[in-house]
Amino acid sequence: MGQGLKYTIKKDQEKGIYLVNEQGEEVAATDILEKCGDRRVFAFNGNMGAGKTTFIKQLCEAMGTEDIVNSPTFAIVNVYEVEARGEKQEAMGRKEEVYHFDCYRIKDIREAMDMGTEEYLYSGNYCFIEWAEMIEPLLPDDLVTIDIEVMENGDRLLRINN
């Protein structure tokens, strides 16, 4: 995957929320996962209200979850069951877990370690992390960062870096 890959999240009354690639083509949210290959840990960066949780919800729904996807602000981590992807589809059957973190309320790295964060991050399952800077020392080297910026027209610009 190249540096600085960009997508735009648009909102329309008829279509709802949808994703557009750099060429202006409408694509599935999971297109981002496919472009990132085997990488499974994603940090979502953006100001409060930028749409981090909303986009993670879109991703999980596109991955086939039937679970309610919401912010794990107080629980720190939510677990969702989704359709297995790639090698895991054969190895684990048809389902796998996605871990959705909101690290905003983590006080220090010890708290993150005590709750077993490293086990989640290195499980081989998808991990979608909001406020990842709070657990930076624990993050893997192959982390994918997705920066979400609110544009003047209300669209969200996603910049994906690895």
Side-chain angles (χ1 to χ4, degrees), residues 2-22:
Q3 291 282 342
L5 190 60
K6 295 179 187 175
Y7 291 85
T8 304
I9 299 175
K10 296 186 168 285
K11 188 173 183 180
D12 181 276
Q13 283 188 330
E14 292 178 21
K15 291 184 181 181
I17 296 172
Y18 63 99
L19 189 65
V20 176
N21 66 16
E22 288 184 276

Side-chain angles (χ1 to χ4, degrees), residues 59-92:
L59 266 173
C60 291
E61 288 175 356
M63 294 171 77
T65 191
E66 294 180 11
D67 298 325
I68 295 171
V69 178
N70 55 27
S71 177
T73 301
F74 295 100
I76 309 291
V77 63
N78 287 346
V79 180
Y80 313 119
E81 190 173 83
V82 299
E83 298 294 324
R85 305 179 65 77
E87 293 175 10
K88 287 197 164 220
Q89 190 167 8
E90 291 178 20
M92 294 179 64

Side-chain angles (χ1 to χ4, degrees), residues 41 77 79 99 101 115-127:
V41 181
V77 63
V79 180
Y99 305 121
F101 290 82
M115 63 177 266
T117 299
E118 290 174 292
E119 291 177 40
Y120 292 108
L121 296 176
Y122 296 93
S123 67
N125 290 345
Y126 281 104
C127 295

Side-chain angles (χ1 to χ4, degrees), residues 38-42 77 88 96-97 99 101 109 112-113 115-129 135-144:
D38 294 335
R39 294 169 186 247
R40 293 278 176 141
V41 181
F42 293 75
V77 63
K88 287 197 164 220
E96 71 177 304
E97 292 180 330
Y99 305 121
F101 290 82
I109 202 68
M113 291 173 71
M115 63 177 266
T117 299
E118 290 174 292
E119 291 177 40
Y120 292 108
L121 296 176
Y122 296 93
S123 67
N125 290 345
Y126 281 104
C127 295
F128 301 144
I129 309 166
I135 61 167
E136 191 170 354
L138 303 178
L139 298 173
D141 292 336
D142 66 348
L143 176 74
V144 175

Side-chain angles (χ1 to χ4, degrees), residues 17 22 24 31 43 47 57-58 62 66 71 95 105-106 112 114 121 125 128 130 133 141 147-148 153-154 162:
I17 296 172
E22 288 184 276
D31 185 61
N47 293 332
K57 179 179 180 175
Q58 295 269 150
E66 294 180 11
S71 177
K95 298 287 184 182
R105 295 190 183 281
I106 290 183
D114 288 347
L121 296 176
N125 290 345
F128 301 144
E130 301 180 46
E133 62 271 18
D141 292 336
D147 298 318
I148 302 176
N153 66 359
N162 62 354

